[in-house]
Amino acid sequence: MKKIFNLLILVVFASFTAMPQARAPYPISPEVKADNSTTFRFLAPNAKEVLLTGEFLKEKQAMTKDDKGVWSITVPNIKPDIYPYAFVVDGIQVADPNNTDIFANERFKFSLVDVKGSTPLIHALKNVPHGKVTYRLYKSNATGTTRQLLVYTPPGFDPAGSKKYPVLYLVHGGSDTEETWTKVGKANLIADNLIAEKKAVPMIIVMPYANVRPAPMGKFADDVVDNIIPFIQSNYPVLTDQPNRAIAGFSVGGGQTMEIGIMNPDKFAYVSAYAPYPETQEFRQVFGDWKPDAAKLNKQFKLFSFSVGTEDFLYESTLKNMAMFKEKGVKYESLVVPGGHTWMNCKLYLTNTLPRLFK
Amino acid sequence: MKKIFNLLILVVFASFTAMPQARAPYPISPEVKADNSTTFRFLAPNAKEVLLTGEFLKEKQAMTKDDKGVWSITVPNIKPDIYPYAFVVDGIQVADPNNTDIFANERFKFSLVDVKGSTPLIHALKNVPHGKVTYRLYKSNATGTTRQLLVYTPPGFDPAGSKKYPVLYLVHGGSDTEETWTKVGKANLIADNLIAEKKAVPMIIVMPYANVRPAPMGKFADDVVDNIIPFIQSNYPVLTDQPNRAIAGFSVGGGQTMEIGIMNPDKFAYVSAYAPYPETQEFRQVFGDWKPDAAKLNKQFKLFSFSVGTEDFLYESTLKNMAMFKEKGVKYESLVVPGGHTWMNCKLYLTNTLPRLFK
């Protein structure tokens, strides 16, 4: 019978591409080569113009069509990283239909290309022990709905063991979702790798969904404090004291991180804002009158930090935010690196934050 | 300080839509109304023609453009269910950029619309205890790679408790991914609801990634038996005897289910194929010579079943498959319902299978 089934297997495979659904012919895209050049392909026999847009490009690039209607372009020598990209087909932006990896977002549909390079990067899937990512549903009284969050538990995590873990609450950007930090930011793999290298301590990372539209954004702060933290504390073996709780976030999530952290210094010892939004002028409006007990705050925070790229549209604003905290005597650290308001930079910020936590 | 931050919250919210990224103006889409009519919108000022395609439509429908360049259409009275849809913009198929819910698939990018109706369907997020879905990485010697699978654990699951659970291995269709059964098929919510209604027993559901291209598809059978089952058995409190193991799958995954089930009747007591591929002619080629010990097989299988829709392109083929098993004396059950080769039907098949398992 084994032999029969070997034949069956071949038949199944051979006939796969002949399925009567709309799946043939399809081009392979993206095709990342050993020298980091990458070919992107898109089937559109009737399109007049197809462009490639991507965060590894300074500007959109024209693609060329072959006699089968497949548009393609090879981009040489891309610096290894994970980048969002899309096709612009006669003016309409389209995700790559042949690529499973999609940027988790509410307002656009970029695909993701992983240019691995010859040396595995910190976000690579390496041969190390892996943690788990669990999708949980919880009741949010703050928003009146059942919401989803993701929980990273580190390698070796034993839910019934005696070890209790510190917790990082990690917040996505303004139109992202609770999946963006894993699907785009590879937070789980970065944590796996830093823990394997003994650069970060084993921790639980909670990735909530931070948008509460059309309710006021501030409802998210209530959700974190009133619903999410208690949910995690009643479902996971976690340390519940202030020195074992951190929050970090990007863009609008960086603003939420600052807000939640500063409102709750008794709850969070580590507060890290990555290119936080809103811009300084708006922060000044409300922070202008704010007279913090800086000495107390500086004792409470083991880390209060800003990370930003010099090409980020929020670069100047982040500098001004920092200056404002300086005026008020609130200590902070900063990480200023090249790069823009991107998830390539987010991975770098997280990679720099994790080793600082819970030590 | 509380007051200051309330103001900050308002400012953050008010300024959100003014972010200098490409996010305004965007239309709301899809907008499902109380009467199940649904409006779809797509911003494309320069497009010449925008059509709506969706599995709730018999054929593509033309959309109309307003003076702001937003194309829209309202489809009345959609039968409540979750449907794939997309826009066809001057001939190019595009997922809805304003909808987060994407069909997890390797070869197309459909969006999903959830027409809930007035009575919650079996796949709805109801006010019942919820299980968890965990993303796990495991080493697959069969394919020589580290692969991802999803594990549903039921409400009340205690990884360290004395209760051990039966396991269903649930396989996606040919170009789907390990996420399709949860993101499109809502397997976790269907299980939550059936368990809450006491129609299904608490079980673990393992959703592997079943494609092994370009390796022969048969490698997946090896992966299940040699890697996935041992991985689950060493990481979860599961029952490891044949009566407590089931396999089910759709389309190419239905063919894989038949193959794995029939090759391993000592391992699986329940084998359910949903609109299995390949078609009968190919099965006949290999099954023609197959002389099963039907009496033995009929004792081993507590359930061997086929589910298919009368409009499925594999309907006739599935009938012929069943006739072939009948000729050979192999007993089976069948569920034949209206509908096509769709994930609306998949949810129905799973809803009918789960209550049959492990009783």
Side-chain angles (χ1 to χ4, degrees):
Chain A
M1 194 166 86
K2 190 84 178 176
K3 206 168 169 189
I4 289 174
F5 279 97
N6 283 344
L7 176 56
L8 171 62
I9 288 159
L10 285 175
V11 171
V12 173
F13 183 61
S15 56
F16 179 75
T17 54
M19 281 184 74
Q21 288 156 295
R23 72 172 86 246
Y26 52 79
I28 291 169
S29 181
E31 185 184 358
V32 182
K33 290 156 198 166
D35 65 355
N36 301 333
S37 72
T38 302
T39 300
F40 300 85
R41 298 182 178 92
F42 186 76
L43 178 67
N46 300 319
K48 290 192 187 69
E49 179 195 64
V50 180
L51 307 174
L52 174 69
T53 181
E55 294 193 353
F56 47 85
L57 295 172
K58 290 224 166 104
E59 51 190 27
K60 293 184 185 75
Q61 300 287 314
M63 298 171 67
T64 53
K65 186 168 79 164
D66 72 10
D67 56 5
K68 284 171 187 147
V70 175
W71 297 76
S72 71
I73 184 172
T74 298
V75 181
N77 199 29
I78 300 176
K79 182 187 168 195
D81 210 326
I82 299 171
Y83 299 93
Y85 73 95
F87 303 115
V88 183
V89 185
D90 294 336
I92 301 297
Q93 185 178 299
V94 185
D96 189 340
N98 294 301
N99 182 350
T100 313
D101 294 332
I102 281 266
F103 195 123
N105 190 278
E106 298 179 335
R107 293 284 168 242
F108 54 74
K109 299 283 166 284
F110 278 103
S111 295
L112 295 168
V113 58
D114 186 355
V115 182
K116 292 191 163 70
S118 50
T119 308
L121 297 172
I122 194 64
H123 57 254
L125 177 65
K126 294 189 193 179
N127 188 18
V128 300
H130 294 296
K132 292 178 270 192
V133 176
T134 301
Y135 286 52
R136 299 288 307 244
L137 296 166
Y138 71 98
K139 280 196 189 166
S140 165
N141 298 324
T143 65
T145 56
T146 294
R147 286 162 75 88
Q148 183 167 269
L149 52 74
L150 274 57
V151 181
Y152 167 83
T153 49
F157 172 78
D158 177 0
S162 58
K163 179 169 170 57
K164 293 189 186 299
Y165 293 83
V167 185
L168 165 63
Y169 293 83
L170 186 57
V171 188
H172 60 73
S175 63
D176 299 325
T177 77
E178 67 274 28
E179 291 187 296
T180 310
W181 265 112
T182 55
K183 300 240 175 204
V184 190
K186 304 292 176 189
N188 53 322
L189 297 179
I190 291 172
D192 284 350
N193 292 331
L194 290 173
I195 292 168
E197 294 174 16
K198 299 200 184 302
K199 289 182 180 161
V201 302
M203 68 183 83
I204 286 177
I205 303 177
V206 177
M207 292 158 277
Y209 174 55
N211 293 327
V212 287
R213 290 186 290 269
M217 295 286 280
K219 284 282 177 199
F220 177 65
D222 296 341
D223 197 27
V224 168
V225 172
D226 298 340
N227 305 132
I228 294 174
I229 291 176
F231 175 80
I232 294 300
Q233 293 185 174
S234 64
N235 282 284
Y236 291 86
V238 297
L239 296 161
T240 59
D241 53 341
Q242 188 258 16
N244 285 295
R245 198 179 292 118
I247 186 164
F250 171 55
S251 195
V252 170
Q256 291 171 314
T257 290
M258 288 172 63
E259 175 202 332
I260 294 169
I262 296 172
M263 280 175 84
N264 301 281
D266 57 319
K267 293 192 175 65
F268 295 92
Y270 304 84
V271 178
S272 286
Y274 307 151
Y277 190 86
E279 300 188 28
T280 315
Q281 196 182 336
E282 292 142 2
F283 264 102
R284 287 247 168 212
Q285 264 185 275
V286 291
F287 275 96
D289 289 339
W290 180 50
K291 292 182 180 57
D293 182 343
K296 187 178 173 192
L297 211 56
N298 292 337
K299 270 192 194 171
Q300 287 175 300
F301 286 151
K302 293 181 79 173
L303 177 68
F304 181 53
S305 73
F306 295 87
S307 304
V308 72
T310 52
E311 297 150 69
D312 196 311
F313 75 90
L314 292 170
Y315 172 57
E316 293 295 337
S317 158
T318 303
L319 294 189
K320 286 178 189 163
N321 277 336
M322 291 192 281
M324 185 186 63
F325 282 104
K326 192 173 181 179
E327 272 171 34
K328 294 182 188 293
V330 178
K331 284 187 193 160
Y332 60 85
E333 295 183 26
S334 65
L335 174 71
V336 178
V337 294
H341 199 71
T342 70
W343 277 85
M344 292 84 80
N345 268 37
C346 273
K347 294 197 297 292
L348 181 62
Y349 305 149
L350 184 68
T351 302
N352 276 275
T353 300
L354 292 185
R356 300 294 310 280
L357 303 181
F358 314 124
K359 285 180 177 172
Chain B
M1 194 166 90
K2 188 87 178 176
K3 207 170 170 190
I4 289 175
F5 279 98
N6 283 343
L7 175 56
L8 172 62
I9 288 159
L10 285 175
V11 172
V12 173
F13 183 60
S15 56
F16 179 75
T17 53
M19 281 184 73
Q21 287 157 296
R23 71 173 85 244
Y26 51 78
I28 290 169
S29 181
E31 184 185 356
V32 182
K33 290 158 198 165
D35 65 355
N36 301 333
S37 72
T38 302
T39 301
F40 300 85
R41 298 183 178 91
F42 186 75
L43 177 68
N46 300 319
K48 290 193 188 68
E49 180 194 62
V50 180
L51 308 174
L52 174 69
T53 181
E55 293 195 353
F56 47 86
L57 295 171
K58 289 223 166 103
E59 52 190 27
K60 294 182 186 74
Q61 300 287 314
M63 298 170 69
T64 53
K65 186 168 76 163
D66 71 10
D67 56 6
K68 286 172 186 146
V70 175
W71 298 75
S72 71
I73 184 173
T74 298
V75 180
N77 199 27
I78 300 177
K79 183 188 167 195
D81 210 326
I82 299 171
Y83 299 91
Y85 73 94
F87 303 115
V88 183
V89 184
D90 293 336
I92 301 296
Q93 186 179 299
V94 186
D96 189 339
N98 294 300
N99 182 350
T100 313
D101 293 333
I102 280 267
F103 194 123
N105 190 277
E106 299 179 335
R107 294 284 168 242
F108 53 75
K109 299 284 167 282
F110 278 103
S111 296
L112 295 168
V113 58
D114 187 355
V115 182
K116 292 191 163 71
S118 50
T119 308
L121 297 172
I122 194 64
H123 57 254
L125 177 65
K126 294 189 194 179
N127 188 18
V128 299
H130 295 295
K132 293 178 270 193
V133 175
T134 301
Y135 286 52
R136 299 289 307 243
L137 295 165
Y138 70 98
K139 281 198 188 164
S140 165
N141 298 325
T143 64
T145 56
T146 294
R147 287 162 75 87
Q148 182 167 268
L149 52 75
L150 274 57
V151 181
Y152 167 83
T153 48
F157 172 77
D158 177 359
S162 58
K163 179 169 171 58
K164 293 187 185 300
Y165 293 83
V167 185
L168 164 64
Y169 294 83
L170 187 58
V171 188
H172 60 72
S175 64
D176 299 325
T177 78
E178 67 274 28
E179 291 187 296
T180 311
W181 266 112
T182 55
K183 300 241 175 203
V184 191
K186 305 292 176 189
N188 53 322
L189 296 180
I190 291 173
D192 284 349
N193 292 332
L194 290 173
I195 292 168
E197 294 175 15
K198 298 199 183 305
K199 289 182 179 161
V201 302
M203 68 182 83
I204 287 177
I205 303 177
V206 177
M207 292 158 277
Y209 175 55
N211 293 327
V212 287
R213 292 185 290 268
M217 295 287 278
K219 283 281 177 200
F220 177 65
D222 296 342
D223 197 27
V224 169
V225 172
D226 299 339
N227 306 132
I228 294 174
I229 291 176
F231 175 80
I232 294 300
Q233 293 185 174
S234 63
N235 283 283
Y236 291 87
V238 297
L239 296 160
T240 59
D241 54 340
Q242 187 258 15
N244 285 296
R245 198 179 291 118
I247 187 165
F250 171 55
S251 195
V252 170
Q256 291 171 314
T257 291
M258 287 172 65
E259 175 203 333
I260 294 168
I262 295 171
M263 279 174 86
N264 301 282
D266 57 319
K267 293 191 174 63
F268 296 92
Y270 303 85
V271 178
S272 287
Y274 307 150
Y277 190 86
E279 300 189 29
T280 315
Q281 196 182 338
E282 292 143 2
F283 264 102
R284 286 246 169 213
Q285 265 184 278
V286 292
F287 275 96
D289 289 339
W290 180 51
K291 292 183 180 57
D293 182 344
K296 188 179 174 193
L297 211 57
N298 293 337
K299 271 193 192 168
Q300 287 175 301
F301 287 150
K302 292 180 80 175
L303 177 69
F304 181 54
S305 72
F306 293 88
S307 304
V308 71
T310 52
E311 297 150 69
D312 196 311
F313 74 90
L314 292 171
Y315 172 57
E316 292 295 337
S317 157
T318 303
L319 294 189
K320 285 176 189 164
N321 278 335
M322 291 193 281
M324 186 187 64
F325 282 104
K326 190 172 183 180
E327 272 171 35
K328 293 183 188 293
V330 178
K331 284 187 192 161
Y332 60 85
E333 296 183 25
S334 65
L335 174 70
V336 178
V337 294
H341 199 71
T342 71
W343 276 85
M344 291 86 79
N345 268 36
C346 272
K347 294 197 297 292
L348 182 62
Y349 305 151
L350 184 68
T351 302
N352 276 275
T353 300
L354 292 185
R356 299 295 310 281
L357 303 181
F358 313 124
K359 285 181 177 172

